[in-house]
Amino acid sequence: MKIAAHTLGCKLNFAETSDLLRRLAAEGNEIVSFGEVADMYVINTCTVTAVAEKKCRNAIRQAVAQNPSAEVIVIGCMAETSRDEIAAIPGVTAVYGNEKKRMLAYSWGEERTRVFFKIQDGCDYFCTYCAIPLARGRSRSASLEETLCAARRIAAEHTGGALEVVLTGVNTGTFGQGRDESLLDLLRGLDAIEGVSRYRISSIEPNLLTDEMVDFIATSRAFLPHFHIPLQAGSDHVLQLMHRRYDTAIYRQKLEYIKSRMPDACLAADVMAGFNGENEEEFVKVLQYIESLPISYLHVFTYSDRPGTAALRMGEKIPVHIRREHTARLLELSDKKHKAFIASQLGMTRPVLWESTQVSKSTIQQVNELAANDLLTRRLADSSTLYMQGWTDNYIRLCRPYDASLAGTIEQVEITEQNIVYER
C-alpha cells in the first residue's frame, strides 16, 4: 500500500508517527508525502487548542478529497477526546485513541539524522487549562534498562552518519516516577551509548529541571545546550489560576543557572496568551517579566476552552479579541528575543549537523523575508544553487550550498549573516 501521514501538535506526536511509519515500511508498504494520492492516510491529531482541532479536521478533509476511496485513519489526542465527532466526518475509516493506535504498528522511529525518542507518556499534573491528561492518561514510563535498551537499538540500526536523538514525552521530567529511578539516571545512561552523537530534551517542566541535571548536561559528551522549559504565564497570579507548580522567581532562577553554566545555551519557553485572569494589567507584567529573562524565543499559544478542564468553571474570562491581541504582542517579543539571540552568536563557530534534504535559494529567502531586517539580509549565490540546512548545537538553523558528502556529518561552522536561516 501507499501510505501517507500528517502529524499535528507536539514532538511526542512526531515521535509516534515516526515509529508507526517505520514499522509500516518494514512490512513492505511505500511511504509517500501527505500531498500525494495514497491508499491509506494516517492523521495524528492534537487537542491542545481549538485551532489545533480545526487543523485536524482540515487534514482529514484534505485526505478524503485526494482519494475518496482511501482508508483514513485518525489517531492521537483528538481521537481520544472527540471520537464521535471525528467518526462522523465523511470518509473517516477508523479512529484510534492514544492506546489503541498501537494496534496499527509499534516500533522505535528513525530518520536520516534525527530521531524522536519517546521516553515517557501521560501526565499527573492536571493544569486547569489542559486536556492532555484526559487524552493520554497518567504519567508512566518504561524502566531505565528497557529505555536504554531501546536507545541502544536505535543507535545500532542507524546507518546514516551522525545521529541526533530528541527525547520526547508529555512530562519528561517524571521519568522513573514510582521507581527508584530518575531522569538524571537516564541522561547519564544515554550519554554513554556509542553511536549517538547528540541529544536534545524536547521539553521539561521548570520544577523538575534540577541544578544537578544542568550540571550534568553542561559537562556531558552528547547533550546539547538547548532547553525548552514551559513558562505558560509570566504572572504569579495567572500561574496560580493555572495550577502550575512553580512561580516566576523559580522560573527565573532556572534560566539564570543554565546561563551561568552554559552562556550560549538556547532557551525556549511555551507561553499561553489570554488565559483567565490575564487582563491588561496582568499582561503588562507578563511582557515585562519575559523581556527581563534570558529567553531565546517563545512558542506562543492562544488560550481556548478545552472540554473537561477546570478552567471552564473559572471566572475572569478574557474576550477572544484580547487573547488574539496578546498573542500578537507575545509573538513580536519572541521575534525580538530570537533576533537578539542570533546576533549574540554572530562570529562564533558551532558544530552543525547537516541534513540531506535539498533546499532552493528561493525557499530560504521566503523564510527569511518573513523576518526581514538589516541583520538577516541574505547574499546567497545564484538562484540555481541548491542548499542544505542544519542545526547548531544551540539550535540556530544554518545553510550552505548542497554537498551530498556532508549530509549526516557534523561540521564546525562560523555563524554569519550569510548562512543563517531565520525560521526556528
Side-chain angles (χ1 to χ4, degrees):
M1 297 176 66
K2 287 187 176 182
I3 301 176
H6 184 68
T7 307
L8 297 118
C10 63
K11 289 179 179 176
L12 178 57
N13 274 7
F14 282 88
E16 292 173 340
T17 301
S18 179
D19 295 343
L20 175 62
L21 293 181
R22 181 170 177 270
R23 177 62 177 269
L24 292 171
E27 293 174 353
N29 299 290
E30 179 185 357
I31 307 303
V32 300
S33 71
F34 192 72
E36 297 183 42
V37 175
D39 302 302
M40 176 189 289
Y41 294 94
V42 180
I43 300 165
N44 198 351
T45 61
C46 176
T47 191
V48 168
T49 65
V51 171
E53 292 191 346
K54 181 179 179 181
K55 290 180 179 179
C56 295
R57 290 189 289 269
N58 289 341
I60 293 167
R61 294 188 177 100
Q62 178 185 340
V64 174
Q66 287 174 168
N67 184 3
S69 63
E71 294 184 52
V72 178
I73 313 297
V74 183
I75 64 176
C77 290
M78 188 179 176
E80 186 77 38
T81 61
S82 305
R83 181 184 308 274
D84 293 342
E85 176 191 343
I86 293 173
I89 298 176
V92 171
T93 307
V95 182
Y96 295 109
N98 282 313
E99 290 302 317
K100 289 189 176 181
K101 68 186 175 188
R102 297 180 185 179
M103 294 168 60
L104 286 175
Y106 181 80
S107 69
W108 300 104
E110 186 167 351
E111 298 173 359
R112 174 73 175 166
T113 59
R114 183 174 295 106
V115 174
F116 293 99
F117 179 34
K118 177 180 172 180
I119 64 169
Q120 181 273 340
D121 203 348
C123 186
D124 298 336
Y125 278 14
F126 290 93
C127 299
T128 57
Y129 56 82
C130 185
I132 297 302
L134 304 177
R136 287 190 173 267
R138 309 291 287 195
S139 178
R140 57 204 181 276
S141 57
S143 71
L144 175 63
E145 186 52 36
E146 288 172 325
T147 307
L148 291 175
C149 282
R152 293 186 194 106
R153 186 160 67 248
I154 290 174
E157 292 175 351
H158 184 76
T159 58
L163 174 63
E164 179 175 304
V165 172
V166 182
L167 307 184
T168 68
V170 175
N171 192 346
T172 56
T174 61
F175 176 87
Q177 180 176 281
R179 303 187 301 271
D180 189 24
E181 298 172 345
S182 69
L183 179 60
L184 181 56
D185 295 330
L186 178 61
L187 302 187
R188 288 171 173 155
L190 291 171
D191 200 53
I193 294 176
E194 296 182 4
V196 179
S197 305
R198 319 206 307 183
Y199 291 100
R200 295 186 196 272
I201 304 173
S202 63
S203 179
I204 185 169
E205 293 286 304
N207 53 298
L208 298 175
L209 178 62
T210 66
D211 289 353
E212 290 79 12
M213 287 185 198
V214 174
D215 291 340
F216 172 75
I217 292 170
T219 58
S220 69
R221 174 190 66 87
F223 279 87
L224 302 180
H226 175 208
F227 294 80
H228 187 136
I229 309 171
L231 172 60
Q232 306 303 4
S235 155
D236 286 335
H237 170 63
V238 177
L239 286 173
Q240 290 172 1
L241 292 175
M242 291 177 164
H243 289 184
R244 300 293 285 169
R245 302 191 180 195
Y246 53 87
D247 58 22
T248 54
I250 291 173
Y251 192 89
R252 180 186 298 279
Q253 183 273 325
K254 299 293 182 181
L255 267 58
E256 291 180 347
Y257 188 72
I258 292 171
K259 282 293 190 179
S260 73
R261 296 302 317 274
M262 293 167 273
D264 297 318
C266 178
L267 304 180
D270 291 335
V271 181
M272 183 175 293
F275 185 71
N276 306 329
E278 189 185 83
N279 55 33
E280 187 62 26
E281 179 181 355
E282 288 296 327
F283 186 65
V284 169
K285 294 179 184 177
V286 169
L287 289 178
Q288 292 174 342
Y289 175 74
I290 295 176
E291 179 74 51
S292 71
L293 293 174
I295 282 177
S296 308
Y297 64 92
L298 305 173
H299 287 289
V300 182
F301 303 86
T302 306
Y303 170 72
S304 59
D305 291 332
R306 301 286 80 207
T309 62
L312 288 174
R313 303 186 297 273
M314 297 170 60
E316 297 187 84
K317 296 288 186 182
I318 304 301
V320 173
H321 74 280
I322 298 296
R323 299 180 204 175
R324 291 172 179 165
E325 178 189 328
H326 288 184
T327 297
R329 291 163 69 182
L330 283 168
L331 287 171
E332 289 178 2
L333 180 55
S334 178
D335 285 343
K336 176 182 176 182
K337 287 281 190 180
H338 194 216
K339 291 168 187 173
F341 175 65
I342 289 174
S344 74
Q345 299 299 298
L346 286 173
M348 292 191 176
T349 298
R350 312 289 309 191
V352 175
L353 175 52
W354 294 114
E355 299 173 350
S356 60
T357 305
Q358 296 180 344
V359 183
S360 69
K361 174 194 174 186
S362 61
T363 298
I364 293 173
Q365 287 180 325
Q366 288 170 8
V367 167
N368 287 317
E369 284 168 3
L370 295 176
N373 62 88
D374 292 339
L375 167 64
L376 297 169
T377 299
R378 297 295 145 239
R379 292 190 295 276
L380 299 177
D382 65 86
S383 59
S384 63
T385 301
L386 288 174
Y387 287 81
M388 61 199 309
Q389 301 181 83
W391 294 98
T392 66
D393 58 340
N394 62 346
Y395 209 59
I396 296 176
R397 186 182 281 276
L398 302 183
C399 67
R400 57 156 291 137
Y402 188 81
D403 182 343
S405 68
L406 291 177
T409 68
I410 295 175
E411 181 183 28
Q412 295 291 328
V413 180
E414 181 182 355
I415 301 172
T416 70
E417 293 183 7
Q418 288 72 48
N419 61 13
I420 294 170
V421 181
Y422 179 76
E423 185 181 43
R424 293 188 295 276

